[in-house]
């Protein structure tokens, strides 16, 4: 039987347990919530660890991001994570919370019973703590050339599009590139350098489906590869993980159908 073990230096160890907060009258918090947060600094020789924090939910916003900000501001300023809009729009605060990839700003602490485990997005190199290295992910997005490509002369005013053609882009353009879907995909885990992943392929189809774009053949040629497109096995993890409710699997299936049709 094959036995697989993580390298000794990569094993996550118990970290520091920070003291629980007290209310203004000095008594224990009435509604405490425990958070177990992944901590790792690749510039140091220490193993990753899980630090334990407790926040008083009566003195904190309802979302996981609110708790992380409170911890950083009031308890441990060394805690590192990304965040920006706090409205589920920018995708900066994507992380693995209670076993699922999601946005910390839209994940309510009340949705998780018991303590909340928080890790960076899986199967990506860690810059520090909850910050993953998105370099490869963004490079894949750039590779699908996410912009309008035309051959005809530009119109005097604007590229016009019918209401019906515009409706075909619904469920595609809303992607915020948070990488929750791609880092939920086993095919992306095993082939991150060659498989474009759900997010990039969803965006590829967004431009293929755009009636104003005139480079469909060129875009399909770029995707015609055993790994770039066909590593998708439609297990639907991407659709389950998407915080915007999009379905990358459906977009990938549409691309595959177009590949077949142009060979007939």
């Amino acid at each position: 039987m094959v036995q697989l073990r993580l390298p000794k230096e990569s094993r996550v160890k118990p970290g520091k347990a920070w003291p629980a907060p007290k209310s203004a009258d000095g008594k224990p918090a009435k509604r405490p919530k425990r958070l177990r947060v992944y901590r790792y600094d690749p510039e140091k020789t220490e193993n990753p660890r899980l630090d334990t924090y407790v926040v008083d939910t009566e003195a904190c916003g309802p979302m996981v991001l609110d708790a992380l900000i409170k911890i950083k501001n009031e308890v441990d300023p060394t805690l590192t994570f990304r965040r920006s809009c706090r409205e589920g729009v920018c995708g900066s605060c994507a992380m693995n919370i209670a076993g699922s990839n999601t946005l910390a700003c839209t994940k309510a602490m009340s949705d998780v019973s018991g303590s909340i485990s928080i890790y960076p997005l899986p199967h990506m190199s860690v810059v520090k703590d909850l910050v993953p290295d998105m370099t490869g992910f963004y490079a894949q997005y750039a590779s699908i050339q996410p912009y309008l490509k035309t051959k005809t002369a530009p119109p005097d005013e604007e590229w016009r599009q019918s209401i019906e053609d515009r409706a075909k882009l619904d469920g595609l353009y809303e992607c915020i590139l948070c990488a929750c879907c791609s880092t939920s995909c086993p095919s992306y885990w095993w082939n991150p350098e060659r498989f474009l992943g759900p997010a990039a392929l969803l965006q590829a189809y967004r431009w293929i489906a755009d009636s104003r774009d005139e480079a469909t053949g060129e875009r399909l040629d770029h995707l015609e590869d055993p790994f770039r497109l066909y590593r998708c096995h439609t297990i639907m993890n991407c659709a389950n993980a998407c915080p915007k409710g999009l379905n990358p699997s459906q977009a990938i299936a549409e691309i595959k159908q177009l590949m077949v049709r142009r060979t007939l």
Side-chain angles (χ1 to χ4, degrees), residues 192-208:
E193 296 86 9
R194 302 180 68 183
F195 177 48
L196 289 181
L201 289 172
L202 175 77
Q203 288 300 304
Y205 183 64
R206 177 257 177 274
W207 294 104
I208 291 172

Side-chain angles (χ1 to χ4, degrees), residues 15-158:
K16 180 178 180 178
W18 295 79
K22 295 184 178 181
S23 59
D25 57 5
K27 296 181 180 179
K30 294 181 179 179
R31 296 177 56 196
K33 191 70 172 180
R34 190 177 305 273
L35 292 85
R36 302 172 68 243
V37 183
Y38 181 91
R39 306 297 308 277
Y40 177 61
D41 186 348
E43 295 184 356
K44 298 181 180 180
T45 58
E46 300 173 356
N47 278 49
R49 67 182 194 273
L50 283 179
D51 280 4
T52 302
Y53 305 91
V54 180
V55 297
D56 183 359
T57 55
E58 287 191 348
C60 179
M63 303 302 177
V64 171
L65 182 60
D66 293 319
L68 291 175
I69 292 174
K70 187 175 183 64
I71 290 169
K72 185 173 181 67
N73 289 345
E74 302 178 10
V75 181
D76 182 7
T78 67
L79 178 61
T80 306
F81 53 91
R82 289 192 182 109
R83 55 98 175 179
S84 184
C85 74
R86 301 178 68 175
E87 298 291 341
V89 176
C90 71
S92 299
C93 64
M95 54 190 72
N96 186 280
I97 301 173
S100 299
N101 294 349
T102 188
L103 302 179
C105 66
T106 61
K107 182 68 172 180
M109 288 187 282
S110 59
D111 289 344
V112 183
S113 60
S115 62
I116 304 175
S117 296
I118 306 174
Y119 291 82
L121 291 175
H123 293 268
M124 282 186 165
S125 298
V126 175
V127 177
K128 188 180 180 185
D129 295 345
L130 302 177
V131 178
D133 185 352
M134 304 281 280
T135 304
F137 176 81
Y138 289 139
Q140 289 170 327
Y141 174 61
S143 75
I144 59 103
Q145 298 181 322
Y147 44 83
L148 199 65
K149 300 179 72 174
T150 60
K151 297 180 177 126
T152 59
D156 293 333
E157 295 182 358
E158 60 187 11

